[in-house]
Amino acid sequence: PDPEHRRSGLERLRVLAAACRRLGTSVITLCTGTRDPENMWRWHPENGSPEAWRDTADTVREALQIAGEADVTLAFEPEVANVVDSAEKGRRLLDEMQSPRLKVVMDGANLFQAGQLPRMREVLEEAFALLGKDLVLAHAKDLSHDGDAGHEAAGCGVLDYDLYLKLLCASGFDG
């Protein structure tokens, strides 16, 4: 929620973006953040507020200007504790930004709100339907419960990896 913190992050992004070519990459991953002032991975009740969305969208717009100057791609991942906490909000951000420089990191273990594990197939299929054409990276980790980002090694939790990998392939992702 702190404007100075966001401004400082954009300054650091400018430095990182300028170094990408020398580092042999053209993609920078982003976190869409939380309203929690102490922990960027902790959910906050104000994450769903119009103010949180406005701050996130405004900051991503500025980040995309930096990406354009440096000729890099930015990739965010929907994550249950962040402002962009679902595939639906991820699609909204992509549609609002309308930039070929904004893409998605798919992480199946980060998509499940509290109570959604019984709907795993539906949640994963919806995520790929909404975001699949915009994937640039994919993560492979697992989760043991919903409502929190997964922290387990791939295959050691409850994520349906057969379905996840099938959906990754069907989306055209070849990473």
Side-chain angles (χ1 to χ4, degrees):
D2 177 9
E4 182 53 40
H5 186 75
R6 292 192 304 274
R7 195 168 11 267
S8 172
L10 287 166
E11 290 171 14
R12 291 190 310 272
L13 176 63
R14 186 174 302 283
V15 172
L16 182 60
C20 280
R21 182 160 289 146
R22 290 184 310 245
L23 294 171
T25 190
S26 62
V27 178
I28 298 173
T29 62
L30 304 175
C31 169
T32 61
T34 177
R35 295 309 259 194
D36 188 301
E38 297 172 9
N39 183 337
M40 70 184 247
W41 303 114
R42 188 167 46 211
W43 180 83
H44 191 277
E46 291 179 22
N47 284 358
S49 71
E51 295 79 16
W53 186 265
R54 182 197 65 232
D55 289 345
T56 297
D58 289 349
T59 304
V60 170
R61 276 187 199 90
E62 290 184 58
L64 286 167
Q65 288 178 345
I66 293 167
E69 294 165 8
D71 193 25
V72 298
T73 298
L74 303 179
F76 69 92
E77 88 183 69
E79 197 272 320
V80 295
N82 288 172
V83 173
V84 176
D85 63 356
S86 66
E88 183 179 357
K89 287 184 183 174
R91 183 77 257 153
R92 178 181 171 195
L93 184 64
L94 289 164
D95 291 346
E96 284 186 21
M97 296 300 113
Q98 296 186 354
S99 172
R101 296 201 178 277
L102 187 62
K103 297 295 180 185
V104 175
V105 177
M106 182 61 77
D107 188 335
N110 286 0
L111 294 171
F112 297 93
Q113 305 292 328
Q116 287 188 325
L117 274 182
R119 297 178 40 239
M120 182 176 292
R121 173 174 285 280
E122 179 184 342
V123 170
L124 288 172
E125 287 177 347
E126 177 185 43
F128 280 91
L130 291 171
L131 304 173
K133 67 179 181 161
D134 292 293
L135 299 184
V136 68
L137 294 171
H139 286 171
K141 67 177 188 206
D142 220 322
L143 74 160
S144 58
H145 62 280
D146 55 14
D148 186 27
H151 304 285
E152 285 75 26
C156 294
V158 297
L159 188 68
D160 182 344
Y161 260 92
D162 288 337
L163 177 60
Y164 182 61
L165 294 174
K166 176 183 166 192
L167 292 168
L168 271 174
C169 290
S171 76
F173 179 77
D174 65 357

